[in-house]
Amino acid sequence: MATARTVGMKDVAREAGVSVGTVSNVLNRPDIVSPDRRERVEAVIVQLGYVRNDAARQLKLGRSSTVGAIVLDSANPFYAQLVGGIEAAAEDSQLMVITGSTGNREQRERLYLSLFEEQRVRGILLASTGGSAGVVEAIRGRGTPVVLLEGEPGTGGSSVSVDDIAGGEIAVQHLAGLGRRRIEVVAARQDLRQVADRLRGARRAAAAAGIEIEVLEAEDLTVLAGRTVGEEVVARSVAERPDAVFCVNDLLAVGVLQAFAFRHQVAVPEEIALVGYDDIAFARSTVVPLTSVSQPADLMGRTALALLEEEIATPEASPRHVSFTPTLVERESTTG
């Protein structure tokens, strides 16, 4: 069976009775084409079903209008908010964003990095698992800028982050300030810098308050994993339970809260106070509204794209790192 031939600019020009240059101007600089010619060319474009090869056009121009964004988990509302900030800023700059989610897997992260570089994207915004530093350095060396989301200074390029040590610290300070002395921290993926820093801050605050914390290891950073840990806590005798729990993200906290609320087995915050991290939208509408450490996800995304554009405009400039300070949003899960 014969394959349909792709309609090109020459076909449009021939059918409209104009030059290829005029067709190009209609597509890219319509303001310089007379109204009657523009209307004639546009009518032929519709008639023939012409679709321009934007990839080829960008290759010819030596730049792309597409940005690649790689996040750890698209199911986590925090990353949805982060990407929302990137997309809003990209729209203002007339750019497009392609997003990939690694599921916290290094191999998938490397796959997306390779794919985006092959597609010659304008630049890459990366929330990294931490295992692709060499790949990122090589991509930068070949001319594609990479800005790290939740990155650290001194990584060879620009980055944005939140002070997660401070975030973990203010969470436990809050619980200790309420008189809670048996504080447990629910964590997973301690190999991720963000999680490790939140634990470090939690331990620092506990030491300052003269108490020790116990870390409960969850299988993943998900609601289901949090529920499993919560069920383990509920299964203990009342005397063996903590009087406060800090979860390193809100998804874990929501799962723990579900386990506590099932059949009203644990009263929150009367018996156990609960703090999450990220302040996702759902934290406000749980059965007991969740106290959480808030990160400015939207602003982080907007700032990351601005840093990427800076690197493109002035590649010789020194990389910049922008760090945001988290804040505690108090709700009924601790203040009753």
Side-chain angles (χ1 to χ4, degrees), residues 73-91:
D73 182 9
S74 60
N76 186 329
F78 166 75
Y79 288 110
Q81 294 172 16
L82 184 69
V83 171
I86 295 170
E87 290 177 335
E91 184 176 1

Side-chain angles (χ1 to χ4, degrees), residues 12 16 26 30 35-47:
V12 174
V26 169
D36 60 327
R37 283 195 174 189
R38 186 170 65 245
E39 290 174 7
R40 187 161 77 248
V41 171
E42 288 172 346
V44 172
I45 286 173
V46 173
Q47 174 191 335

Side-chain angles (χ1 to χ4, degrees), residues 148-160:
L148 295 183
L149 305 166
E150 302 182 290
E152 296 179 282
T155 54
S158 295
S159 58
V160 298

Side-chain angles (χ1 to χ4, degrees), residues 168-185 199-215 242-246:
E169 194 168 8
I170 62 175
V172 172
Q173 281 176 345
H174 174 63
L175 293 170
L178 295 172
R180 309 290 172 145
R181 308 299 293 174
R182 303 189 311 278
I183 301 174
E184 295 184 347
V185 180
L199 283 173
R200 183 178 168 190
R203 290 190 174 102
R204 178 185 294 177
I211 60 178
E212 293 186 5
I213 60 172
E214 178 187 357
V215 178
D243 60 9
V245 173
F246 165 48

